[in-house]
Amino acid sequence: MGLFLGLGIAGIVLLVASLALDGVLEGMFDGALGGLFDGWLSLPVVAGFVSMLGFTGAIVLGATGTGAGVATAAGVLAGFGAAWLTWKLSRSLMDDRGTAAPREDDLVGSAGSVVTAIPADGYGEVLLRLAGQPVKFAARSAVPVQRGAEVWVEAALSAGSVRVRPVER
């Protein structure tokens, strides 16, 4: 019983270590084995296997009293189940491909409003929506634009500045 409980606790400790040492085990074996296990030798997968082996073995041994062989077999089956679920969950999280991050050129053609007046050939500030979020940019314009006016972005000058023109309605 003590061995099974020790394995269960060791699995939990290994899981905590996987938070601190994320990717270390994969890095050690990835080059040597050429991706043979495809993520099966990750710390969370090994931790899930070891902890389920230990805790299931302890439960079976304590509840049924059938012996260490049956408890070990039940623990191994539960361990493989936990390892497989951990592997599937981590693969689904790693394969989650979101949309591409917005770039400066995505601003061209977007509308915004002036929050700090823009002098002719000088800088002011405009509020634009980038990926649905309001973002303030430094803005230049060939003509003066008053605060509160609606503007269109003509060009992205840098990561934090744009060239705008007033919207005429």
Side-chain angles (χ1 to χ4, degrees), residues 40-160:
W40 273 100
L41 283 179
S42 67
L43 282 177
V45 169
V46 172
F49 176 80
V50 170
S51 63
M52 283 303 287
L53 167 75
F55 290 134
T56 302
I59 290 170
V60 168
L61 189 61
T64 64
T66 56
V70 173
T72 302
V76 167
L77 286 173
F80 276 122
W84 182 79
L85 286 173
T86 305
W87 178 72
K88 287 298 274 184
L89 179 64
S90 63
R91 297 259 316 181
S92 69
L93 291 174
M94 296 299 283
D95 289 342
D96 183 25
R97 304 279 189 244
T99 58
R103 300 183 323 181
E104 298 166 7
D105 294 338
D106 295 336
L107 293 171
V108 176
S110 63
S113 60
V114 177
V115 292
T116 304
I118 305 170
D121 293 326
Y123 279 96
E125 293 178 318
V126 295
L127 190 62
L128 304 172
R129 289 212 170 269
L130 182 61
Q133 299 297 316
V135 181
K136 192 171 14 173
F137 287 89
R140 288 184 66 104
S141 177
V143 297
V145 184
Q146 297 302 315
R147 181 174 176 251
E150 187 178 1
V151 292
W152 287 94
V153 177
E154 291 181 329
L157 302 175
S158 70

